[in-house]
Amino acid sequence: MAIVNSIFWKTLVLKNLDRSYSTPQTMSCSEDHTESVDCTVKPPVFLQIGDTKGDSARSGVCVVDVTLPYGKPINIEKITFKNYYTAYVTVRLLRRKAEKEGSTKWCTALTDLALMDNPHTDGGSQNYFSIHRRQMQVQPDHVESIRLILRQPSSAWRIFSLEDIRLFPHKELAPEKEVSDWLSDLIVVKQPPDLEVLLMLYVLVKSFYNPDVTACFTTLAQITCCQFLIKPRHISSLQGLPDPQTVSSSIQQMWALTEVMQANRTTASIGRFDVDGCYDINLLSLT
Amino acid sequence: MEDGTDVSLSIAQIVQRLRGSHLHSQLERQAKDCLHRPEIKLESLKEDVRSFLRASGWEKRLQNAVYRELHVQLPQCHPTAPAEHLKEPLAYMRKAQASWEKRVLKSLNSMSTELGVPLARMRPAGEQKDLTNKWNEMGTDEPDLSRFRPVYAPKDFLEVLISLRNPNHDSSEDMTVKSHWGLIQVPLNIRDIPQLRQAYSELNLNNGQLGIDDHAHVHPDLFENNYVHIGKKVVVEQDSAAAQQYSRRGCPTGLRSDLWALILNSTNQPQDVMHYEQLKAGVIQHDLLVDYLIYKDVKLTASNDDYYFVFEDFLYQVLLCFSRDTAVLEHFKYNSATPPKSYVHGKVGNEEFAVLYPPNGVIPFHGFSMYVAPLCFLYNEPSKLYSVFREMYIRYFFRLHSISSSPSGIVALCLQFERLLQAHLPQLFYHLRQIEAQPLRIAFKWMVRAFSGYLSTDQLLLLWDRILGYDSLEVVAVLAAAVFAFRAENLMEVTSLASAEAVLADLSTLKVMPLIQIFLFATAI
């Protein structure tokens, strides 16, 4: 019976994990969890040919330096920004050779990434972009400063720039243990010494995975059931508590129901346009 | 690798949308029912159920549903992009659309106050009963519409488009090749003839077309019989993607209604009929101010048209229900427009009592009913006609009256028309400009209605075949330029806007496919 229960819990837990990856919203949620790094974006410097005083020709090249706080080089995961009429961008990185001491060297990470379909027309001119470390020609590690070279060859535009430039650091993900492995570890070990600690850690890991509050709550409930399953020899000593088998089977039924409900969640609307049957409108709102 | 994540994101979004839909429950029921069948074995349960679904046509239906979702899917974009960016990426276009909408809303508000007609009211029981009885002959009911006027006409909208300016665009130079001959002054990316030739390769001179090669003096064995035979096969296969590809060379008259329903994935299942009945109940229960606008529009346009006046009752039945359909609100995710908001009586500012007006968020303008009229030739059942129209509106027609940078949007179509004319008929363009008869002022009304009401019906339906086949309204701009090219000789002789309009007043004798084919493939570059 315990084996059947353990398989049931494994599949439920695995399904829970699947669900957290299947909805795009949760995917972007986990993206937002990584904070962008504090950096200083210097004002753009436009390159001129010859005499800098002569303003007649507008420059088509400008350089934007993004510096990181002194002594805190980072490994870049991605650079995000919003385009404003820049046609091409080249990314150069100032990297430190070794961990602590060593010379710094500029290298080109990306040459002439096209941001606009056609430099003379509006397509792509105000879009949001990310440059991921996978797209870069060199490893963006131990980076102290970033130089973005913006090019806009068309004379059709007054200004061009990049807005809201953000750097995201690369996080080495700890090798994730399959959550079910935790459970099977707990179930196999006969008398786990610090079971309470292990279970609380498990809850914390789960909550990191799936920030959805209800999922955490359900996970906690799962944990309490696990406790009943895992400590059979203690059950007889607990007087006045409900039989663990009945509790676990009723909770199993509840779980099955919630699974069915959540799997069948539909995005279709009911179609009512009134509020409780009333649709008497005064004037249209102009704001 | 980026493509991989994009694809999986698309898949996740489509699964989310189809989950819980009627098709989903039908598939589940079919899968459950088929378990009784002898060919389903327990050992290979999954494969057997799958092959059953494939053989019985259910997999094809799912495929068509997914294909439909791909058409209305939000464009893939950056996770940090806000929702308004999905609607319209360019800030100045969003601003222009918002101020245009505000003008329209003000106009509607003032109409309501001046005429003393509430925006919406519940019909008393007697009136509801009357309307139910008269549902199939609403055309005979002649409410007093003299006080109502359309909220806006296409020419008002044209003025807004002409005044559109990109604040970052440097137009300090006086006469440049790119900009200043025409009325539209925004630098959108549009395709020129060499690119159009590649994109519309099925319309090539070497390919047979319906509208050209089905003419009386061409022997049917040369093209038509074979083509109709293929069309019948496509209908039997019930495949949306195949129907769309087929439609690029035209749809035979006898198969057109089935093919269009396939392309748009409009089924007429019981739940669609029920949905239509629900909308009908909404019409009977509440009386909206936009209803009078619809009445007025139908009376002014379709009822006066030789081809469409017989369908007057159908038009009311479709358009009034259309106004009540909240399913249309979904398309505002990718439409630059925003549905107008209001509050139930006396609860202004209280979000719990916020509603959208009209329920579908679309305020009809002068000529709106012409989007529905040609469809009446294809479908005679109101619920089927309704679902085909709704799908066509949320895929194509909404772009003709909202300001956006989409390549199928009206701004891009106007720009494309002007550029095509400038590039290939510069003398004509210059001449018309000199006599203050800018070509766009004449062609705009054709394009806003996708030529409905200007061409003869069979020709119009051939044009709309290509709109569906290529999933784009670009062909409308190409036809507008082709019409000018066709009448170029006469137009070179005119000396005023009025006479230019007179030359182009009657398009009912035109054959659209030869014009488009010659303009695209026989013009010297």
Side-chain angles (χ1 to χ4, degrees), chain A residues 59-80:
Chain A
S59 169
V61 185
C62 91
V63 176
V64 176
D65 274 321
V66 182
T67 48
L68 290 154
Y70 183 68
K72 288 194 196 152
I74 64 160
N75 302 347
I76 297 178
E77 174 71 16
K78 62 178 177 181
I79 306 172
T80 60

Side-chain angles (χ1 to χ4, degrees), chain B residues 364-520:
Chain B
F365 55 91
H366 179 67
F368 193 84
S369 53
M370 296 309 283
Y371 290 144
V372 190
L375 300 174
C376 297
F377 277 101
L378 299 175
Y379 305 98
N380 54 12
E381 215 195 293
S383 60
K384 184 87 191 249
L385 172 64
Y386 176 75
S387 78
V388 167
F389 165 65
R390 184 183 66 187
E391 189 67 22
M392 281 204 76
Y393 182 82
I394 65 173
R395 281 201 205 182
Y396 308 113
F397 296 146
F398 75 91
R399 297 202 192 273
L400 294 172
H401 61 93
S402 56
I403 304 175
S404 83
S405 59
S406 158
S408 268
I410 188 69
V411 185
L413 293 182
C414 291
L415 187 62
Q416 183 150 41
F417 161 74
E418 289 194 321
R419 291 280 168 85
L420 285 172
L421 218 50
Q422 285 165 22
H424 300 282
L425 295 154
Q427 242 184 336
L428 175 64
F429 201 103
Y430 188 76
H431 170 71
L432 289 172
R433 191 172 169 271
Q434 289 294 95
I435 60 169
E436 316 260 324
Q438 278 274 7
L440 186 58
R441 289 201 187 275
I442 305 172
F444 187 72
K445 54 186 185 293
W446 304 337
M447 294 196 282
V448 158
R449 285 197 200 165
F451 281 90
S452 172
Y454 296 103
L455 296 172
S456 68
T457 331
D458 57 326
Q459 297 300 313
L460 179 74
L461 292 173
L462 286 168
L463 177 71
W464 286 16
D465 285 338
R466 272 70 178 191
I467 293 179
L468 286 170
Y470 288 99
D471 194 33
S472 157
L473 289 160
E474 232 177 346
V475 69
V476 168
V478 172
L479 178 61
V483 169
F484 270 74
F486 184 59
R487 301 245 167 113
E489 274 180 38
N490 290 358
L491 285 168
M492 285 301 289
E493 314 257 306
V494 299
T495 51
S496 71
L497 174 59
S499 30
E501 300 235 11
V503 168
L504 293 166
D506 184 16
L507 305 183
S508 55
T509 51
L510 290 183
K511 300 271 179 273
V512 304
M513 290 323 297
L515 287 181
I516 293 177
Q517 208 180 47
I518 292 173
F519 189 77
L520 280 182

